[in-house]
Amino acid sequence: MSKNFKKNLLSLILIFAMLFTFSGCATTNPNQSNSNNQTSQTTKTSDNSGKIKIGFSFETLNLERWQHDRDYFVQRAKELGADVLVQSANSDSQTQYSQCQNLIAQGIKVLVIIPHDGSAIAPIVEEAHKAGVKVLAYDRLIMNADVDAYVSFDNEKVGELQAEYITKLVPKGNYFLLEGSPTDNNAKLFEQGQKKVLQPLVDKGDIKIVGEQWAQDWLTQNAYNIMQNALTANNNKIDAVVDANDSTALGAIRALQEQNLAGKVAISGQDADLANCQLIVEGKQSMTVYKPVKEEATKGADVAIALAKGEDINANGKVNNGKIDVPSVLLTPVAVDKNNMVDTIIKDGFHSLDEVYKNVPKDQWPKQ
Ligand code: GAL
């Protein structure tokens, strides 16, 4: 058998041996392989390039505000070399819980959560810690759990700003309180802040709270139904509505409109949603509380990455969640009406002048 022939035979055997080894992996677990490729990369808390992986669980992405948070957060995380896996639970606690489990299984280093229900989600914190994953409560607090950090605004202050503005506008009269989702800890803080301002005026007999209701999941339709019933129950004798946010104010204003009361009844809001900013400059909504979410989302990404690296999160406070004092970064909200719309929301580029003044005759637009 010639030397050449032996050599070729040997290399042929070698090639076959290599082919056989690789095909062995593919066949054993096809899902595994894809997910393996996927999971092998994701079970590591960073991918081959050492990138930190963050899981971000949103209560919902149906409300305008959260889409801003997502975009700013992902942008900042990218700038800092991290990847973000985003999930939306469509306002369902069960879905959110299993999505968080799925994110943990995908090998994230930090789990960021905007809880639908701050109490129902609590057990996920322990599951995450068992997997070596840190937990950041974003905007809304997770209750009764060893949360690693909390980034939000001063939410009681939000309620104070709403009530202060409306009581200046309507110092005496019948008030209706339209609160947020009962499962959202923030809704409780907003109401607390409002009551701090309202109660002394109630005690003085200047204002009368003729009703208070909470809109499940902050939905516009729920708020519309609540406001319609409140107007009927009070023969339209409502002078002011302290409303916790813009998506619900939209529904309340629709009900007021049907009774020709839009623009005549003072009403507050929060989040600076575009439709509500338009209603403010058209005189149908009195004010909104602007929370520069770019600041919150940027801080959120910074804190998430600090947690991933085991670094200091530069907390500026702490908030008790019923179990621990959670190290927190709390930001300051701003009351906005048509007089400072340009110097705040428009100056920040959150919305443009054209967008906000879309329904206002051009000759009545403010100079920028
Ligand atoms: C709150 C949040 C508000 C508002 C509301 C509805 O938790 O702080 O900004 O967006 O949820 O999503």
Side-chain angles (χ1 to χ4, degrees):
M1 204 189 285
S2 73
K3 232 180 179 188
N4 266 355
F5 181 74
K6 270 194 201 139
K7 229 167 83 196
N8 294 345
L9 188 61
L10 205 62
S11 44
L12 259 177
I13 293 167
L14 263 176
I15 292 165
F16 267 105
M18 278 170 66
L19 270 175
F20 183 74
T21 348
F22 282 110
S23 59
C25 294
T27 50
T28 53
N29 182 345
N31 303 338
Q32 180 62 21
S33 75
N34 293 346
S35 59
N36 222 358
N37 293 346
Q38 175 72 16
T39 46
S40 65
Q41 277 169 358
T42 51
T43 41
K44 279 175 281 164
T45 52
S46 57
D47 62 19
N48 301 334
S49 62
K51 272 189 179 180
I52 290 171
K53 219 170 263 300
I54 300 171
F56 201 154
S57 167
F58 283 76
E59 180 238 341
T60 180
L61 281 167
N62 297 335
L63 284 177
E64 178 182 322
R65 190 228 128 137
W66 302 121
Q67 295 153 23
H68 294 291
D69 295 83
R70 175 202 53 204
D71 299 344
Y72 289 134
F73 186 101
V74 170
Q75 181 191 340
R76 177 65 176 173
K78 270 215 168 75
E79 280 165 18
L80 298 173
D83 274 344
V84 186
L85 304 176
V86 171
Q87 296 261 342
S88 169
N90 294 328
S91 300
D92 181 81
S93 293
Q94 202 49 50
T95 305
Q96 185 161 41
Y97 201 92
S98 48
Q99 285 181 341
C100 287
Q101 289 176 315
N102 176 289
L103 286 168
I104 292 167
Q106 288 192 56
I108 57 174
K109 185 80 177 164
V110 185
L111 178 59
V112 182
I113 307 176
I114 303 170
H116 172 245
D117 181 328
S119 303
I121 198 74
I124 202 71
V125 176
E126 206 179 320
E127 280 195 40
H129 286 169
K130 280 203 186 107
V133 175
K134 299 280 185 183
V135 179
L136 166 61
Y138 183 87
D139 195 77
R140 297 175 181 175
L141 196 52
I142 297 170
M143 310 310 287
N144 306 310
D146 295 318
V147 182
D148 299 289
Y150 174 45
V151 172
S152 189
F153 284 85
D154 178 344
N155 293 305
E156 263 195 53
K157 182 75 181 164
V158 169
E160 290 169 29
L161 291 173
Q162 291 168 332
E164 278 160 7
Y165 191 96
I166 297 297
T167 52
K168 264 207 202 85
L169 219 52
V170 186
K172 292 185 188 307
N174 288 343
Y175 273 57
F176 186 83
L177 308 188
L178 216 168
E179 304 299 349
S181 191
T183 58
D184 178 356
N185 184 61
N186 281 352
K188 297 177 184 114
L189 297 171
F190 303 146
E191 193 235 15
Q192 273 165 27
Q194 293 162 1
K195 289 277 175 72
K196 241 195 236 171
V197 174
L198 296 172
Q199 201 52 49
L201 298 169
V202 171
D203 298 343
K204 253 171 55 182
D206 286 356
I207 66 174
K208 183 176 175 220
I209 297 179
V210 294
E212 171 173 348
Q213 283 220 38
W214 299 61
Q216 185 64 38
D217 297 335
W218 297 94
L219 294 177
T220 300
Q221 186 58 39
N222 293 346
Y224 168 77
N225 300 339
I226 289 170
M227 197 68 234
Q228 216 189 17
N229 296 339
L231 288 167
T232 310
N234 293 282
N235 298 320
N236 287 355
K237 292 201 173 22
I238 291 178
D239 304 299
V241 180
V242 177
D243 191 307
N245 94 322
D246 285 349
S247 60
T248 52
L250 212 56
I253 292 167
R254 204 191 310 150
L256 289 167
Q257 191 100 32
E258 286 171 358
Q259 304 299 318
N260 285 326
L261 291 171
K264 296 179 188 128
V265 173
I267 181 166
S268 62
Q270 174 187 183
D271 289 335
D273 291 354
L274 179 55
N276 301 77
C277 290
Q278 291 168 341
L279 288 170
I280 289 171
V281 299
E282 293 159 31
K284 296 193 182 102
Q285 180 170 326
S286 315
M287 61 85 71
T288 187
V289 175
Y290 171 49
K291 303 192 294 185
V293 287
K294 184 168 186 179
E295 230 182 292
E296 186 183 14
T298 303
K299 269 273 178 270
D302 293 355
V303 168
I305 288 165
L307 287 175
K309 293 180 177 170
E311 292 168 358
D312 186 350
I313 68 160
N314 296 322
N316 65 4
K318 53 182 192 253
V319 179
N320 189 278
N321 71 352
K323 183 170 184 195
I324 60 168
D325 288 335
V326 182
S328 304
V329 177
L330 296 181
L331 305 168
T332 308
V334 184
V336 172
D337 64 8
K338 64 179 172 208
N339 302 317
N340 64 341
M341 181 74 70
V342 170
D343 302 333
T344 53
I345 292 167
I346 293 171
K347 188 164 142 249
D348 283 4
F350 194 66
H351 300 307
S352 70
L353 186 79
D354 293 27
E355 286 171 328
V356 172
Y357 282 83
K358 183 166 149 279
N359 309 319
V360 175
K362 207 139 188 149
D363 60 353
Q364 292 166 30
W365 289 24
K367 302 277 169 289
Q368 254 189 317

